Amino acid sequence: MTGRTDAVAVGARLCVTDRHVADGDQQGQDSGTDMYQTLNTGIGWLARVIALLGGAVLITLIVMTCLSITGRALIPLGLGPVPGDFELVEAGVAFSIFSFMPWCQYNRGHARVDLFQATFGLFVNRVIDLIADLIMFGASYLIAWRLYLGTMDKYSYHETTFILQFEIWMAYAASLLGAFTFVIVSGFCVLRSARAFLANPTELHT
């Protein structure tokens, strides 16, 4: 009778231990999920803010261009174009383009050919997404690296524009903000694709 009681007690302790281990694993998974969701929210917020900033610059350039064209048409009335309008457009459009790239990458908005993708299984599609994000991360890093070197080169020579006489490295540095953000977002997209690929491996072959 005593032996049976001891066996029951040992079994109960093992059940409690297993329950604690399972609870600990679940808490670890929940903690990892919460951390990923926080990172996802932060990266999405960063990409959105940079894109909105680029959009604001682009709208400003559109208004400025309209005013410049109107002023050029009304030169007989004493008006004129905005001085250095094309220089401002060059610098502003470059910044806007780099500002939109992180948001486009975050939302998988790049042009893609998916003619045969629907015929592939989930496993192949997840592999394609991961490879595409890895390639985009490499491309974003290469672009940011070369743009940084170009910025430092322009800064060392203090080259200026012809009309407004502002230093060209400033325009490069503004674009560099979007380029660095593009690298950060692309790195997160690699993590997102890898996480999706490893989330439910049994479902990938169904």
Side-chain angles (χ1 to χ4, degrees):
M1 191 69 178
T2 303
R4 181 179 299 177
T5 303
D6 292 341
V8 172
V10 171
R13 284 197 297 269
L14 290 176
C15 290
V16 172
T17 302
D18 291 341
R19 187 179 298 112
H20 284 317
V21 172
D23 291 342
D25 292 341
Q26 184 64 36
Q27 290 177 359
Q29 294 176 359
D30 293 341
S31 177
T33 301
D34 292 341
M35 185 179 300
Y36 172 78
Q37 292 299 332
T38 301
L39 180 61
N40 182 33
T41 302
I43 293 295
W45 177 86
L46 175 62
R48 183 189 297 270
V49 169
I50 295 297
L52 289 174
L53 185 60
V57 170
L58 192 59
I59 292 174
T60 302
L61 291 176
I62 292 173
V63 174
M64 185 270 296
T65 301
C66 292
L67 292 176
S68 184
I69 294 174
T70 302
R72 186 175 284 107
L74 298 178
I75 288 179
L77 299 180
L79 299 178
V82 176
D85 52 356
F86 64 92
E87 295 177 350
L88 294 174
V89 168
E90 289 177 354
V93 168
F95 170 75
S96 296
I97 291 174
F98 279 102
S99 298
F100 297 150
M101 293 175 73
W103 182 246
C104 183
Q105 175 66 8
Y106 180 78
N107 290 282
R108 300 187 184 277
H110 292 290
R112 55 192 298 173
V113 179
D114 53 1
L115 183 61
F116 302 104
Q117 195 168 358
T119 62
F120 299 146
L122 185 59
F123 176 80
V124 176
N125 282 312
R126 292 285 173 82
V127 171
I128 292 174
D129 289 339
L130 181 57
I131 293 176
D133 285 335
L134 284 170
I135 293 175
M136 188 60 69
F137 175 72
S140 65
Y141 181 84
L142 179 63
I143 292 172
W145 172 47
R146 300 308 301 176
L147 184 59
Y148 170 77
L149 294 180
T151 302
M152 299 308 297
D153 182 68
K154 295 298 181 181
Y155 178 79
S156 63
Y157 286 101
H158 296 284
E159 183 179 353
T160 61
T161 60
F162 181 72
I163 296 178
L164 297 180
Q165 294 294 305
F166 69 82
E167 296 193 6
I168 297 179
W169 72 266
M170 297 179 181
Y172 276 65
S175 298
L176 201 58
L177 174 63
F180 282 159
T181 305
F182 187 30
V183 175
I184 295 173
V185 173
S186 296
F188 168 77
C189 289
V190 172
L191 173 63
R192 181 176 63 185
S193 294
R195 189 173 184 271
F197 178 77
L198 299 173
N200 295 303
T202 57
E203 296 181 0
L204 296 179
H205 299 280
T206 58

